Amino acid sequence: MKRYWFVFCQSDIVLEKLSDGTYTIPFSENAPAFVKSSATVHTITPFEDGSEVRAVSLDIPVIDDPRYEMCGLRASYYKLNINLYNKAGKCQEILYWDQNTRFCGVCGGPMKLHTDISKRCTVCGKEVWPQLSTAVIVLISRGDEILLVHARNFRGTFYGLVAGFVETGETLEEAVRREVKEEIGLAIKHLRYFGSQPWPYPSG
Ligand SMILES: [Zn+2]
């Protein structure tokens, strides 16, 4: 049975080059590269049309096959359709989570996959799920102007919007007010929710 293979090496993903110059995700029975028997092949939520999805992380990049190209996840936004790009983000999140939760935070025992999106400690039974680091980004406007900021950690001379992580015990609205106060010292009015998106770089 054919399925989509989201194959990563660190933060780069394997893309398949098509004859018309566009790119896709390999769709085949087997992974498009050799997968060690010790590697975990993750089953990811299927696409809406029922197509199955697998994700796996390789130790070495796929560079010796002209059909494929390694591409950074951010850059793949410009090469994949939005459904494939979003799924690539989810796969990267699951692989990152798997690699960063090898041992139990309570007793140090080895963790084992329990469901597709949970792990359980083989010693004490503690369960963990992929962690999200919730962040807010806020557009501040006055009339037809918007406020841009330049942060010290920005490389180059570009400007951005006020943004930051939500702290424990804080609502999204409180996080927005706190970040704006901290970054530019302003109190804001007429706070309005706009929308949300996943941000897999990583766990956002
Ligand atoms: Zn444990």
Side-chain angles (χ1 to χ4, degrees), residues 104-109 111 121-126:
C104 176
V106 177
C107 77
M111 301 295 289
C121 174
T122 53
V123 179
C124 76
K126 167 78 179 171

Side-chain angles (χ1 to χ4, degrees), residues 56-119:
V56 68
S57 189
L58 306 178
D59 297 336
I60 46 169
V62 179
I63 47 171
D64 51 359
D65 191 325
R67 288 174 298 171
Y68 304 118
E69 185 176 304
M70 301 295 304
C71 178
L73 183 60
R74 286 286 282 274
S76 77
Y77 176 81
Y78 301 101
K79 296 185 172 181
L80 294 173
N81 73 43
I82 193 68
N83 286 334
L84 292 176
Y85 168 76
N86 284 337
K87 193 64 88 178
K90 168 145 189 170
C91 292
Q92 166 77 323
E93 296 260 36
I94 294 288
L95 294 169
Y96 177 87
W97 165 69
D98 187 23
Q99 284 154 6
N100 287 277
T101 51
R102 292 188 187 283
F103 299 97
C104 176
V106 177
C107 77
M111 301 295 289
K112 197 165 172 262
L113 269 184
H114 177 57
T115 68
D116 293 341
I117 52 156
S118 72
K119 283 180 159 188

Side-chain angles (χ1 to χ4, degrees), residues 17-199:
K17 289 186 266 187
L18 300 175
S19 53
D20 62 0
T22 62
Y23 292 85
T24 188
I25 293 296
F27 184 68
S28 53
E29 230 165 277
N30 298 309
F34 174 72
V35 176
K36 284 196 297 189
S37 58
S38 58
T40 305
V41 176
H42 292 265
T43 302
I44 307 290
T45 317
F47 282 101
E48 277 181 12
D49 68 2
S51 303
E52 287 192 7
V53 176
R54 297 289 184 274
V56 68
S57 189
L58 306 178
D59 297 336
I60 46 169
V62 179
I63 47 171
D64 51 359
D65 191 325
R67 288 174 298 171
Y68 304 118
E69 185 176 304
M70 301 295 304
C71 178
L73 183 60
R74 286 286 282 274
S76 77
Y77 176 81
Y78 301 101
K79 296 185 172 181
L80 294 173
N81 73 43
I82 193 68
N83 286 334
L84 292 176
Y85 168 76
N86 284 337
K87 193 64 88 178
K90 168 145 189 170
C91 292
Q92 166 77 323
E93 296 260 36
I94 294 288
L95 294 169
Y96 177 87
W97 165 69
D98 187 23
Q99 284 154 6
N100 287 277
T101 51
R102 292 188 187 283
F103 299 97
C104 176
V106 177
C107 77
M111 301 295 289
K112 197 165 172 262
L113 269 184
H114 177 57
T115 68
D116 293 341
I117 52 156
S118 72
K119 283 180 159 188
R120 191 176 270 180
C121 174
T122 53
V123 179
C124 76
K126 167 78 179 171
E127 272 189 277
V128 296
W129 291 265
Q131 199 175 10
L132 289 178
S133 304
T134 311
V136 291
I137 184 162
V138 51
L139 185 142
I140 301 167
S141 67
R142 182 179 62 184
D144 60 357
E145 295 173 306
I146 63 167
L147 182 72
L148 296 177
V149 294
H150 182 263
R152 247 171 280 161
N153 61 350
F154 284 0
R155 278 181 236 136
T157 54
F158 64 90
Y159 290 76
L161 301 176
V162 172
F165 287 107
V166 178
E167 293 181 359
T168 353
E170 193 174 56
T171 65
L172 300 177
E173 293 80 2
E174 285 167 342
V176 166
R177 290 198 171 88
R178 178 183 51 74
E179 286 290 347
V180 170
K181 192 85 192 161
E182 280 174 13
E183 287 192 24
I184 50 177
L186 284 183
I188 51 170
K189 292 190 291 191
H190 308 308
L191 181 53
R192 194 152 52 85
Y193 176 80
F194 177 73
S196 67
Q197 68 178 125
W199 191 250

